[in-house]
Amino acid sequence: MASVSELYDVTWEDMRDKLRKWRDENYRNSEQIVDVGEELINEHSSKLGDDIWIIYEQVMIAALDCCRDDLAWSCLQELKRQFPDSHRVKRLAGMRLEALERYDDANKLYDSILQDDQTNTAARKRKISILKAQGKTAEAIRELNEYLEQFVGDQEAWHELSELYINEHDYAKAAFCLEELMMTNPHNHLYCEQYAEVKYTQGGMDNLDLARKYFAQALKLNNRNMRALFGLYMSASHLAASPKVSAKVKKDNVKYAAWAASQINRAYQLAGRGTKESKCSMKAVEEMLESMQITMS
Amino acid sequence: MAEPELLLDSNIRLWVVLPIVFITFLVGVIRHYVSILLQSDKKLTLEQVSDSQVLIRSRILRENGKYIPKQSYLMRKFYFNNQEDGFFKKTKRKVVPPSPMTDPSMLTDMMKGNVTNVLPMILIGGWINWTFSGFVTTKVPFPLTLRFKPMLQQGIELLSLDASWVSSASWYFLNVFGLRSMYSLILGQDNGADQSRIMQDQMSGAAMAMPADTNKAFKAEWEALELTDHQWALENVEEDLMSTDLDYCGMFSRELPTGIF
């Protein structure tokens, strides 16, 4: 099997920088991390200097994702040798126990960390993810709520809570969590779009109106968000087709839906230019838009 | 008024001015590393962390509340500011002003601060005064009054000498403050050798006791939140959006990244 560096003709510095980029941007491409990281550790460990420790951590978590317990164990041993009393390393040991489904042992480990340091957020979050892995969603939600009562600023936790609520079909509470995220990250179009989708799923005239507004906001923040564009079209046409709305609202929504449809057509035209299938796909898009149009009285 | 310029022996430059600069600089670097070694971990309690995050959340609500629907904003404002059981009204934290006597960690911190900063300065200042005494080291470029003479010309008993000519001890003190920018260049910001910043901290530290602040901070947040209104930023978002076509520039480029690199 050719090594990564041979396959792509890159130096060890490129590989290290790539790992750093994945670390900073929070990628979860575990197989790639394992390939690149394993080679870096085996061949070039002496050249990496102090970077090696954080690479060990990154590769270990990726190895747990890919079921590579051998690699995870060796990384953990190196880290334990270098940082014998570290809470961070203990958490990694707990994660390995979780991967082996030894949840009780993992819980004991996390409890010992928390006894030592009450403010350690990582251990508490791992305990909650154990509950999630065991399928105890209701308990996980309860624990996560308690956690958030004390650490109100943890955005990762708010997002996780919104996901759990969506799984439980409790859309009102999921919307609350997403509102927190939208406030702390007002320029993130993905949170706006997710919030709009939750509101759309909740249904009802007010919620559809809000959904349409937030789809529009997501589009304003990022013009290329196709999902938001389709969402805008669907919510506007749904509102326009509903019998309970006033004439003005209906007129506005018809206008919005028409605009959205024209933008969708434009996008598909742009996508298909130069290819043979463009005519067929354009027709398909038009038909799809027609079928989504709920008949207007 | 033209006065006769004193010509100093160039040996003074070589053996006095430059060594004092080096000594000051090296002592500063050593102080920085010693302060790192002696640094004690600041342990925060759960309550402190939690309170600071709540304050941040309230501030975010005030600043970015316009991005969420009005109902949600009012719900949160009510949670914080409600007369009977709003968070800011209801929560009172136990206030213990951290005086040096009752708080042992503060005492040791103060002592360490003194040892690493004030003591070396006094010792080395005295040593330089003793070693390099009896001659004039340098001239400050601006005229000084006679009142500065006993301070700046320690060890030189000449009544007629202009006060601008100073001894080596004052050159040392000039260095201590002047090399601050050199320290931030070499040791990075926030370094332990930065004495004047530490003295500033000591002076403002007395006025800024963190735990006692929490109740006051809550009250201040309550007032600020009472005053803010909700101006929904999304009132006219559709009109704004639909005024122009969407920008698809570069969306369907041919080059798609494949593989790892």
Side-chain angles (χ1 to χ4, degrees):
Chain A
M1 260 246 300
S3 69
V4 169
S5 59
E6 284 167 30
L7 220 54
Y8 293 96
D9 196 19
V10 288
T11 62
W12 68 271
E13 288 117 339
D14 293 325
M15 300 208 289
R16 176 200 59 190
D17 293 336
K18 200 67 172 183
L19 277 181
R20 182 185 306 143
K21 173 164 175 275
W22 287 336
R23 208 165 44 232
D24 289 336
E25 299 181 14
N26 228 343
Y27 275 50
R28 192 102 184 248
N29 48 345
S30 304
E31 287 182 358
Q32 290 178 336
I33 294 180
V34 163
D35 284 337
V36 174
E38 191 174 16
E39 185 178 327
L40 216 53
I41 294 175
N42 290 336
E43 313 282 323
H44 308 280
S45 60
S46 48
K47 301 181 214 140
L48 287 168
D50 270 338
D51 272 346
I52 187 124
W53 308 116
I54 197 144
I55 291 183
Y56 271 134
E57 186 185 26
Q58 188 181 8
V59 170
M60 186 193 156
I61 297 182
L64 289 177
D65 267 344
C66 299
C67 234
R68 289 281 311 268
D69 191 40
D70 53 331
L71 180 58
W73 181 244
S74 61
C75 291
L76 187 59
Q77 292 300 89
E78 292 295 322
L79 285 169
K80 267 196 190 155
R81 196 178 312 158
Q82 179 71 10
F83 306 104
D85 288 319
S86 157
H87 283 161
R88 200 162 153 178
V89 174
K90 261 179 139 179
R91 163 190 166 241
L92 287 176
M95 281 175 83
R96 184 181 156 268
L97 289 174
E98 281 182 56
L100 296 172
E101 294 200 4
R102 288 163 55 182
Y103 295 125
D104 294 324
D105 295 333
N107 257 323
K108 273 202 230 101
L109 200 59
Y110 294 136
D111 284 331
S112 73
I113 297 182
L114 284 173
Q115 231 171 6
D116 216 17
D117 176 14
Q118 282 250 314
T119 62
N120 190 313
T121 56
R124 289 183 75 163
K125 289 202 259 198
R126 287 320 307 171
K127 287 185 67 158
I128 294 173
S129 34
I130 289 182
L131 287 172
K132 193 176 164 194
Q134 292 175 309
K136 304 180 184 164
T137 332
E139 277 182 48
I141 289 182
R142 198 180 47 231
E143 292 290 316
L144 193 44
N145 266 312
E146 274 177 36
Y147 170 81
L148 275 171
E149 243 170 78
Q150 295 182 316
F151 297 99
V152 214
D154 190 338
Q155 297 180 26
E156 203 180 52
W158 279 115
H159 204 179
E160 187 64 36
L161 187 58
S162 78
E163 219 176 271
L164 286 173
Y165 275 135
I166 291 177
N167 281 338
E168 295 288 305
H169 304 298
D170 195 344
Y171 296 115
K173 300 211 180 95
F176 184 91
C177 304
L178 286 168
E179 279 161 8
E180 290 291 321
L181 286 171
M182 280 202 299
M183 276 203 297
T184 45
N185 304 289
H187 301 293
N188 187 331
H189 63 105
L190 296 170
Y191 290 144
C192 283
E193 183 215 305
Q194 212 173 2
Y195 181 72
E197 286 175 4
V198 168
K199 283 289 166 198
Y200 184 85
T201 318
Q202 271 184 295
M205 287 301 123
D206 296 328
N207 287 332
L208 276 178
D209 196 64
L210 271 179
R212 193 197 65 230
K213 284 217 178 282
Y214 279 95
F215 277 130
Q217 172 75 347
L219 270 176
K220 201 164 141 196
L221 292 170
N222 179 359
N223 274 349
R224 306 187 195 175
N225 192 335
M226 283 310 285
R227 205 164 151 137
L229 189 53
F230 274 102
L232 178 61
Y233 177 75
M234 304 259 323
S235 44
S237 45
H238 213 118
L239 276 170
S242 151
K244 291 182 258 179
V245 296
S246 67
K248 178 176 184 310
V249 170
K250 192 179 276 217
K251 197 168 72 119
D252 284 338
N253 278 302
V254 167
K255 188 176 75 171
Y256 299 150
W259 181 87
S262 72
Q263 295 301 318
I264 295 177
N265 276 322
R266 236 189 88 225
Y268 274 92
Q269 229 164 17
L270 226 61
R273 65 167 179 225
T275 65
K276 271 190 273 200
E277 306 90 41
S278 59
K279 279 235 184 61
C280 322
S281 62
M282 286 303 301
K283 195 152 182 309
V285 170
E286 275 170 24
E287 279 175 16
M288 175 186 66
L289 288 175
E290 293 263 334
S291 67
M292 281 203 286
Q293 279 257 0
I294 304 155
T295 42
M296 303 197 237
S297 47
Chain B
M1 159 177 106
E3 32 179 78
E5 288 294 339
L6 281 177
L7 192 61
L8 293 179
D9 195 348
S10 53
N11 275 332
I12 292 183
R13 176 191 65 212
L14 195 57
W15 294 106
V16 177
V17 175
L18 292 178
I20 290 186
V21 176
F22 281 136
I23 292 174
T24 325
F25 184 69
L26 290 174
V27 167
V29 170
I30 293 176
R31 256 213 317 263
H32 166 71
Y33 287 119
V34 167
S35 67
I36 287 185
L37 283 174
L38 291 180
Q39 223 172 34
S40 55
D41 277 326
K42 264 199 264 179
K43 272 226 158 136
L44 291 170
T45 66
L46 187 55
E47 206 174 75
Q48 277 175 328
V49 170
S50 170
D51 284 344
S52 60
Q53 292 201 352
V54 168
L55 285 170
I56 292 177
R57 181 172 177 227
S58 164
R59 182 172 56 93
I60 298 252
L61 180 65
R62 269 187 295 126
E63 289 173 17
N64 290 340
K66 57 188 183 184
Y67 294 110
I68 59 176
K70 192 172 182 101
Q71 195 58 30
S72 319
Y73 173 82
L74 289 175
M75 187 162 59
R76 287 171 170 83
K77 184 169 166 181
F78 186 79
Y79 164 74
F80 277 125
N81 278 10
N82 182 26
Q83 283 294 11
E84 296 94 46
D85 56 11
F87 185 80
F88 286 143
K89 282 263 156 189
K90 199 175 49 163
T91 329
K92 297 271 176 254
R93 297 284 179 223
K94 247 189 341 174
V95 165
V96 176
S99 82
M101 304 311 143
T102 59
D103 202 355
S105 64
M106 274 257 306
L107 187 62
T108 43
D109 272 340
M110 243 173 52
M111 253 190 48
K112 275 186 227 157
N114 282 339
V115 164
T116 44
N117 293 313
V118 179
L119 210 60
M121 190 159 84
I122 297 178
L123 283 176
I124 298 192
W127 175 76
I128 288 187
N129 206 10
W130 175 77
T131 329
F132 302 111
S133 64
F135 53 85
V136 157
T137 303
T138 182
K139 177 175 193 276
V140 294
F142 43 85
L144 292 173
T145 62
L146 288 174
R147 312 224 30 256
F148 286 103
K149 268 181 81 160
M151 188 162 53
L152 299 176
Q153 283 181 356
Q154 288 235 330
I156 308 167
E157 275 83 20
L158 278 180
L159 287 173
S160 59
L161 188 54
D162 205 337
S164 303
W165 296 98
V166 297
S167 68
S168 28
S170 31
W171 172 241
Y172 170 68
F173 281 110
L174 262 174
N175 268 295
V176 166
F177 293 107
L179 283 172
R180 241 186 341 127
S181 39
M182 284 284 286
Y183 290 144
S184 21
L185 199 64
I186 298 187
L187 298 172
Q189 287 288 39
D190 222 25
N191 59 70
D194 202 343
Q195 262 203 327
S196 63
R197 200 177 54 84
I198 292 170
M199 287 198 262
Q200 255 178 340
D201 276 351
Q202 276 182 344
M203 280 185 266
S204 63
M208 187 188 81
M210 258 320 291
D213 244 1
T214 322
N215 282 332
K216 293 207 191 70
F218 280 173
K219 188 146 197 317
E221 259 320 306
W222 178 85
E223 282 174 21
L225 195 51
E226 275 289 305
L227 294 173
T228 41
D229 258 338
H230 181 255
Q231 301 281 354
W232 202 23
L234 268 60
E235 274 303 336
N236 300 316
V237 63
E238 287 106 343
E239 303 303 321
D240 291 337
L241 180 65
M242 298 182 191
S243 52
T244 59
D245 268 346
L246 291 179
D247 180 17
Y248 291 143
C249 189
M251 192 161 151
F252 301 107
S253 60
R254 293 289 149 194
E255 291 297 315
L256 282 177
T258 50
I260 303 181
F261 293 95

